[in-house]
Amino acid sequence: MIGLSSYAGVMESLINSAEEQQPSSPLDKSWSNKQESSKNQKPGVGGFVLVHAGAGYHSESKAKEYKHVCKRACQRAVDRLKAGALAVEAVAAALVELEDSPFTNAGMGSNLNLSGQIECDASIMDGKSLHYGAVGAISGIKNPVLVANRLLNEAQKGKLSAGRIPPCFLVGRGAHDWAVSHGIPPCPSEKMATKFSLSAYKRNKRKMELAEKMDTGHNQTKKRRQSSENENGSGCLDTVGAVVVDLEGNVAAAVSSGGLAMKHPGRVGQAAHYGCGCWAENACNMNTYSTAVSTSVEFLWSHTTESMCVGYMSAQDSKAKTHISRLPPGTVPGQSLAIEGGVCRLMSVAE
């Protein structure tokens, strides 16, 4: 889970974690006392992006690769912000970089399902319009977040012919065909698999076959199944995500995931569900969770897995900062919670 709040708006990206896990921010306070003083100001914050390359287990041998992809994702988003892009465009750009990495469980190199196919979930939300787009269990598309973003953009155009309501969430074959019909090129599922995801699939398949052959009793089977689940979880990564504040103070969030290893075909995970994978909402009169901070952004991440790799960057920074957060030695993944965060100084622009 990563979350971010700012003077211009509030953003909480709740990634595979219950909302109650996030601690209350010491910066959260009523916005009402600040409304009058902010009328003559433009809530420009200089631009900011925070990304993460999935929670799970990040091996020391691949630490550089995880950090590099976070840096590239931050830089790509900041470049878009400096070019005048809105938050939703920049957050999609960051996710594309994360999806293209063979080391993340999103897009290229995603986990394979029981049938040996890649099916991805992704969602994106624009804090300015509150529009949302998502795809679930989509195959044959290299960057699922681009389909989610296109759904969001098309929905903003209004009704279709004969007064039909445009879709905001599509799954399976329907999502694939809609994407192709809207100019997003297909990519065969076999080309999206990597040597890492293929070897993991073969290893997991052997474990399943062995467990079925050695089924000598309910208790023994249950014990082996739990052991297998723990082994699978220790080496896998989950959803990638990003949150962005643009130069106008608008916020946006997006997530993308290849889903669980050996999942049943057609399964749609949390990354695609509305209000579960991501959330973005600009500050407004009715938003009691806005903050009164005008010069800084506070952001938090938390995880119950062994590790989580994050990166963050403001438009004033020359390069992104990255960090792999790990549970302390001796703690048990799934039974312990790590919470970390930081502060990045941003520039407030007077009108």
Side-chain angles (χ1 to χ4, degrees):
M1 176 183 70
I2 56 175
L4 176 141
S5 60
S6 75
Y7 168 80
V10 64
M11 178 169 20
E12 295 175 340
S13 180
L14 304 180
I15 300 176
N16 294 326
S17 179
E19 183 174 0
E20 56 267 22
Q21 288 180 336
Q22 182 171 342
S24 60
S25 167
L27 297 178
D28 286 347
K29 56 185 70 176
S30 173
W31 177 258
S32 59
N33 294 334
K34 294 294 181 179
Q35 282 183 317
E36 290 300 322
S37 62
S38 64
K39 282 184 178 180
N40 296 323
Q41 283 188 323
K42 182 186 297 183
V45 292
F48 180 80
V49 57
L50 171 64
V51 308
H52 80 88
Y57 173 71
H58 299 78
S59 66
E60 294 288 356
S61 62
K62 297 187 181 71
K64 288 185 178 180
E65 284 79 3
Y66 295 130
K67 289 184 176 181
H68 284 164
V69 68
C70 284
K71 287 183 178 180
R72 292 195 302 269
C74 286
Q75 189 64 61
R76 188 162 180 174
V78 167
D79 287 345
R80 296 297 299 274
L81 291 176
K82 289 182 176 179
L86 295 177
V88 70
E89 301 173 50
V91 81
L95 262 290
V96 167
E97 196 68 42
L98 293 170
E99 289 177 336
D100 285 348
S101 171
F103 299 100
T104 62
N105 178 28
M108 296 292 293
S110 289
N111 288 331
L112 277 64
N113 63 17
L114 276 174
S115 301
Q117 300 295 313
I118 288 178
E119 292 182 329
C120 298
D121 306 322
S123 63
I124 187 170
M125 187 168 180
D126 177 15
K128 182 178 181 179
S129 65
L130 298 185
H131 278 98
Y132 162 89
V135 291
I138 187 173
S139 293
I141 297 294
K142 182 183 177 184
N143 296 113
V145 73
L146 292 182
V147 189
N149 191 40
R150 186 62 183 269
L151 282 165
L152 184 154
N153 291 334
E154 291 297 316
Q156 290 179 329
K157 296 179 181 179
K159 294 183 179 180
L160 303 174
S161 60
R164 293 176 297 132
I165 302 298
C168 67
F169 187 1
L170 292 174
V171 299
R173 187 68 192 183
H176 173 276
D177 293 346
W178 187 93
V180 174
S181 69
H182 285 77
I184 298 175
C187 179
S189 181
E190 57 269 20
K191 289 188 177 181
M192 293 179 63
T194 64
K195 63 179 182 180
F196 303 109
S197 59
L198 286 172
S199 62
Y201 171 74
K202 293 176 181 178
R203 183 170 61 251
N204 290 327
K205 190 173 184 180
R206 285 195 298 268
K207 290 179 181 179
M208 290 180 58
E209 292 173 347
L210 181 62
E212 292 171 357
K213 291 180 181 179
M214 296 177 62
D215 187 3
T216 58
H218 175 73
N219 291 335
Q220 189 65 24
T221 301
K222 184 178 180 181
K223 186 180 295 184
R224 283 195 302 273
R225 185 179 298 122
Q226 291 174 338
S227 175
S228 176
E229 288 174 352
N230 290 336
E231 290 173 6
N232 290 342
S234 66
C236 296
L237 298 178
D238 212 324
T239 307
V240 303
V243 289
V244 167
V245 184
D246 65 25
L247 302 182
E248 297 179 1
N250 301 305
V251 294
V255 288
S256 182
S257 177
L260 299 173
M262 309 303 286
K263 65 182 180 181
H264 193 283
R267 179 187 186 274
V268 177
Q270 293 173 318
H273 288 105
Y274 177 75
C276 183
C278 68
W279 186 265
E281 184 176 358
N282 280 11
C284 65
N285 294 341
M286 301 301 294
N287 186 356
T288 59
Y289 294 99
S290 295
T291 67
V293 178
S294 61
T295 59
S296 68
V297 171
E298 180 192 57
F299 51 93
L300 300 170
W301 59 81
S302 66
H303 57 95
T304 58
T305 54
E306 292 184 56
S307 62
M308 184 175 183
C309 184
V310 303
Y312 54 96
M313 181 179 182
S314 75
Q316 285 75 49
D317 293 332
S318 59
K319 60 181 180 179
K321 298 179 180 67
T322 57
H323 173 65
I324 296 183
S325 173
R326 299 184 185 276
L327 290 179
T331 56
V332 180
Q335 298 179 16
S336 303
L337 175 68
I339 302 176
E340 294 185 318
V343 174
C344 182
R345 298 297 171 185
L346 299 175
M347 177 177 60
S348 181
V349 182
E351 188 168 14

